Amino acid sequence: MKIRPQQLNTQLANKLDAIYFVFGAEILLIEQSLAQIKKAAQQKKFNEKVSFEIDNNFDWNQIFKEVSTTSLFSPKRIIECRLKTGKIGVKGANNLIEIVNTLPNDILLIISTEKLDIAQQKSKWFKTLEQSGSLIQHFEVKNNHLIGWITQQMAELGLKDNIEIAQNIAFCTEGNLTASMQEIQKLKIAYPNGKINTQEYLKQTNQQSKYTVYDLIDAALFGNSNQVNKIYQTLISNTIMPIQLSHALYLEIKSITKMSIELRQVKDTNIVLQKHQVWNTRKPIITNALNQHSYQHFQKILLSLGCIDRSIKNMDNLNVIDELHTLLLSLAGEIQWTQ
């Protein structure tokens, strides 16, 4: 049964189906739906969860074993399957169909994946999921719908309706839903009562509009160390900048790491960029980063960002400002980073 994303909460309030399949073009929206389902499941005492990342080499016996095993801790369990691609092959399709058809009553099966083409949506395994559970598809948020989406997200966080603010966020984030959501969350922190001081916010935005953490990241990925230094000095006075930068950089590098690993197999940058739906305006930036750095380098950066995050949370004692600056310059190729 197909469910529109905006109807999911209502459906979950009425009943919890045994199977949920969430897919589409926008990772952030998929994650939001998954969070809604898991929250509803917890309320129904599904207190134990096991997750599987599934590719063409996945051993499906792991799931069959999990299904047949009785939990010692919780009678109700969630099995989450994240399909790295919709091309799961004949073996994968047959195994998935068998799991769906023999699923015990005490297990909630949650499956998610990226955008699927028409042929994949006509496959037997897809039809089985559609008939046996709830299917939620997320489409790409087009530019002409972005302001409405931002307004909706603001309302869900308790922020008062403000079209001027929504327009400003849409303009600054250029269709990047993750960046838009981060900006909305910043608003909630700055205005916990939900009443945004529009003039104050726009003044601050205008003062910072020349440079953002996303401009800083792009400058580093594009190899422009002079621009990195310039922007970094501009943003360094913002006390919340390290939090925003480390989070945004982690998401960016995590995505590029996946691209870098795939590029070793595909050998065609354009195919990888298209698969990950990189905007045309950012393709030269990401291409430069992929050409200049190995996936091992990106993985080291992710590890370093983990240490930086712990320091931000006072769980470690690194100089966050200096560490982030050094990390960005290493991305830009100015210094040899040896961590």
Side-chain angles (χ1 to χ4, degrees):
M1 177 180 65
K2 289 185 177 180
I3 298 176
R4 292 166 61 88
Q6 53 268 39
Q7 297 173 329
L8 179 58
N9 268 335
T10 301
Q11 191 265 1
L12 290 169
N14 293 327
K15 70 168 184 173
L16 185 69
D17 284 338
I19 299 170
Y20 285 90
F21 179 35
V22 187
F23 72 101
E26 296 285 2
I27 295 176
L28 175 65
L29 302 185
I30 291 172
E31 292 299 328
Q32 286 181 333
S33 288
L34 292 176
Q36 290 172 341
I37 295 167
K38 293 171 189 175
K39 181 179 179 181
Q42 286 183 334
Q43 294 172 349
K44 297 290 185 180
K45 306 302 181 183
F46 284 84
N47 296 322
E48 187 176 332
K49 178 173 72 73
V50 60
S51 299
F52 297 97
E53 296 281 340
I54 298 176
D55 57 19
N56 288 333
N57 298 318
F58 180 73
D59 180 7
W60 289 86
N61 287 324
Q62 296 180 58
I63 299 181
F64 285 111
K65 182 179 179 180
E66 184 65 35
V67 168
S68 61
T69 301
T70 302
S71 173
L72 297 176
F73 304 101
S74 174
K76 292 183 177 183
R77 291 172 291 156
I78 299 172
I79 293 181
E80 182 178 12
C81 301
R82 291 180 178 264
L83 309 181
K84 292 186 177 181
T85 171
K87 297 178 181 179
I88 59 176
V90 175
K91 180 181 178 181
N94 290 337
N95 282 316
L96 186 55
I97 290 170
E98 183 177 351
I99 289 168
V100 169
N101 289 335
T102 59
L103 194 68
N105 293 331
D106 59 350
I107 289 180
L108 169 63
L109 180 63
I110 303 175
I111 302 171
S112 62
T113 192
E114 58 187 27
K115 182 179 180 181
L116 300 177
D117 60 32
I118 297 300
Q120 290 166 336
Q121 293 184 42
K122 291 182 179 179
S123 64
K124 186 176 180 180
W125 68 265
F126 182 96
K127 293 296 183 182
T128 299
L129 288 173
E130 185 178 12
Q131 294 166 5
S132 303
S134 292
L135 183 151
I136 302 99
Q137 181 177 7
H138 286 285
F139 296 94
E140 183 178 357
V141 178
K142 302 296 183 182
N143 286 339
N144 58 333
H145 293 142
L146 182 58
I147 294 175
W149 180 84
I150 291 173
T151 301
Q152 178 186 346
Q153 299 302 310
M154 289 173 62
E156 289 181 3
L157 285 181
L159 294 167
K160 301 297 183 183
D161 187 22
N162 192 316
I163 189 65
E164 194 172 2
I165 298 294
Q167 289 172 334
N168 184 270
I169 293 174
F171 175 79
C172 292
T173 55
E174 298 180 337
N176 185 325
L177 294 194
T178 301
S180 298
M181 196 64 206
Q182 289 171 349
E183 195 65 27
I184 295 167
Q185 290 168 342
K186 283 165 51 183
L187 279 172
K188 181 60 177 177
I189 294 172
Y191 304 99
N193 64 357
K195 297 179 180 179
I196 305 169
N197 185 324
T198 304
Q199 289 185 339
E200 179 185 70
Y201 174 78
L202 293 179
K203 181 181 179 180
Q204 180 183 2
T205 302
N206 289 334
Q207 290 173 344
Q208 299 178 351
S209 62
K210 188 174 181 181
Y211 300 121
T212 68
V213 293
Y214 304 103
D215 297 321
L216 181 57
I217 293 171
D218 282 353
L221 294 174
F222 202 52
N224 191 337
S225 57
N226 289 333
Q227 190 74 345
V228 168
N229 288 327
K230 184 178 181 180
I231 298 176
Y232 203 78
Q233 291 303 316
T234 302
L235 298 178
I236 201 171
S237 61
N238 187 342
T239 56
I240 202 172
M241 183 275 284
I243 301 174
Q244 297 169 352
L245 177 58
S246 63
H247 181 65
L249 191 56
Y250 178 82
L251 294 175
E252 188 73 68
I253 298 301
K254 184 178 180 181
S255 176
I256 295 176
T257 303
K258 292 180 181 179
M259 296 185 212
S260 184
I261 293 173
E262 291 173 15
L263 189 58
R264 289 161 58 92
Q265 299 174 333
V266 177
K267 307 295 185 183
D268 190 324
T269 304
N270 287 328
I271 292 176
V272 174
L273 294 178
Q274 184 175 3
K275 177 184 176 182
H276 287 264
Q277 300 178 333
V278 177
W279 283 41
N280 288 333
T281 55
R282 300 197 73 240
K283 283 182 178 179
I285 297 169
I286 304 301
T287 298
N288 181 77
L290 290 170
N291 290 338
Q292 295 299 319
H293 305 290
S294 66
Y295 79 93
Q296 292 98 330
H297 188 194
F298 292 128
Q299 289 176 326
K300 288 180 181 178
I301 290 176
L302 289 176
L303 290 174
S304 180
L305 284 169
C307 295
I308 289 171
D309 181 64
R310 287 193 293 275
S311 293
I312 290 174
K313 296 174 180 177
N314 295 320
M315 298 167 61
D316 209 333
N317 59 355
L318 295 177
N319 186 319
V320 172
I321 297 297
D322 289 345
E323 290 292 328
L324 284 170
H325 193 198
T326 300
L327 192 152
L328 288 165
L329 289 176
S330 78
L331 269 178
E334 179 175 316
I335 61 174
Q336 291 295 320
W337 191 57
T338 57
Q339 283 186 307

